[in-house]
Amino acid sequence: KPTAEGVLLRSVTMWLLLQSLLLLASCLRSATAFPKGCYPSEEEGLKTFRCSNARLTEVPRDIPNDTNKLFLDSNRIPFLPRDAFRDLPLLLELDLSHNAIASVESGAFRGLAEHLHSLDLSSNRLVSVSKDAFNNLKAKVNLSNNPWLCDCRLQELIRTVDLVAGSSSGIVCHSSAQEEHVGKAFLQVIAEADLCNVYKKTTDIAMLVTMFGWFAMVISYLVYYVRQNQEDARRHLEYLKSLPSKQRRSEESSTISTVV
């Protein structure tokens, strides 16, 4: 006959075994839900999700929505689509450095404006990005080490975002409409010239040239029209002179009445 101690021991053993199985199932389920190379952790009391160097080609789905720090650095992500992080309302830090990002759609960071305070886009392939992509974003942004096209669009972007301290020297003109700007730090370029005013002046000149061209065409047509009418009138007068006098007077009367 089993003793009370034996029954209790078996009950405790079964309970511990059941708890172990549930924990193992939970771990396996979590592991299979995340992309290979991604894992959750807790750092300094903040919930962190790391996907560094995981060979990702897109922003992964199923990131825990209570994530505070997200590391997607050193992957192969080529662009950031609209609403890429909309399910991460508690995100504080986002590291997208050392990817292949060449395009950021407007609204890519929508939903992050209230909490995000650090955004790293350094060492990507950004050439030109609309300022609308960073609408209402209050985060410190790192845009260094990208092959930027230095133009009015970049100037407007730089004036919109709050750059990480010390990162501005890494925003260098890889290309520019003005050859002398290539290789220079962008802040140095806009300290010497307002690229948006240069663009505006170029546009104004182009408009003036176009308007002058149309005006010249109109004047040319009017001159041609007047000369053609004068030539027709001269020929008609010569024709009238060649007619007998009676017929000529009749033709002249007809011409005058027509003109009147």
Side-chain angles (χ1 to χ4, degrees):
K1 185 177 181 179
T3 63
E5 290 83 358
V7 171
L8 179 61
L9 181 61
R10 281 199 299 273
S11 298
V12 170
T13 303
M14 291 297 294
W15 183 82
L16 288 174
L17 181 60
L18 180 61
Q19 289 297 314
S20 299
L21 289 172
L22 289 173
L23 181 61
L24 179 60
S26 176
C27 290
L28 289 173
R29 185 167 60 252
S30 297
T32 55
F34 303 140
K36 185 179 179 181
C38 298
Y39 61 92
S41 64
E42 190 163 320
E43 300 176 9
E44 300 176 350
L46 296 175
K47 293 189 176 181
T48 304
F49 194 75
R50 287 190 174 272
C51 288
S52 303
N53 202 19
R55 299 183 180 180
L56 299 176
T57 56
E58 63 180 4
V59 176
R61 301 176 182 178
D62 300 321
I63 299 171
N65 58 15
D66 60 350
T67 297
N68 303 126
K69 299 170 70 173
L70 177 58
F71 292 87
L72 299 175
D73 56 301
S74 303
N75 283 290
R76 304 170 184 173
I77 300 171
F79 77 102
L80 299 178
R82 186 181 182 87
D83 294 324
F85 308 98
R86 66 178 179 180
D87 296 324
L88 303 173
L90 303 179
L91 198 61
L92 302 174
E93 297 182 24
L94 176 57
D95 189 347
L96 291 159
S97 64
H98 297 89
N99 272 281
I101 300 170
S103 173
V104 180
E105 290 187 1
S106 180
F109 304 111
R110 189 165 59 178
L112 302 182
E114 293 301 318
H115 300 283
L116 192 70
H117 64 68
S118 176
L119 172 60
D120 194 344
L121 283 165
S122 63
S123 302
N124 276 283
R125 298 178 184 173
L126 296 172
V127 175
S128 183
V129 179
S130 170
K131 64 178 181 177
D132 296 337
F134 297 86
N135 266 352
N136 303 318
L137 208 60
K138 300 171 185 175
K140 294 282 186 180
V141 182
N142 189 345
L143 297 172
S144 61
N145 299 320
N146 282 282
W148 291 109
L149 166 64
C150 288
D151 59 1
C152 180
R153 199 179 195 199
L154 179 58
Q155 181 172 312
E156 289 180 338
L157 172 62
I158 297 301
R159 288 176 175 174
T160 299
V161 300
D162 187 6
L163 295 176
V164 171
S167 68
S168 59
S169 61
I171 302 175
V172 178
C173 299
H174 184 267
S175 59
S176 174
Q178 295 171 284
E179 193 65 30
E180 65 270 19
H181 294 161
V182 176
K184 288 185 178 180
F186 185 67
L187 289 191
Q188 178 187 347
V189 170
I190 59 175
E192 298 170 356
D194 188 335
L195 299 184
C196 291
N197 275 348
V198 169
Y199 174 77
K200 185 176 182 299
K201 288 177 182 177
T202 303
T203 304
D204 289 345
I205 291 171
M207 288 180 65
L208 284 172
V209 170
T210 303
M211 290 175 65
F212 179 79
W214 279 106
F215 183 72
M217 288 176 62
V218 170
I219 294 298
S220 299
Y221 175 76
L222 288 174
V223 170
Y224 170 79
Y225 180 78
V226 170
R227 287 183 176 176
Q228 189 66 32
N229 280 355
Q230 287 177 340
E231 182 65 21
D232 290 343
R234 185 186 62 78
R235 289 176 181 172
H236 189 65
L237 287 174
E238 288 179 354
Y239 168 73
L240 291 177
K241 288 177 182 179
S242 67
L243 294 174
S245 59
K246 188 175 180 180
Q247 187 178 355
R248 184 169 64 248
R249 283 195 298 271
S250 175
E251 288 284 348
E252 286 173 353
S253 298
S254 176
T255 301
I256 292 171
S257 63
T258 301
V259 171
V260 173

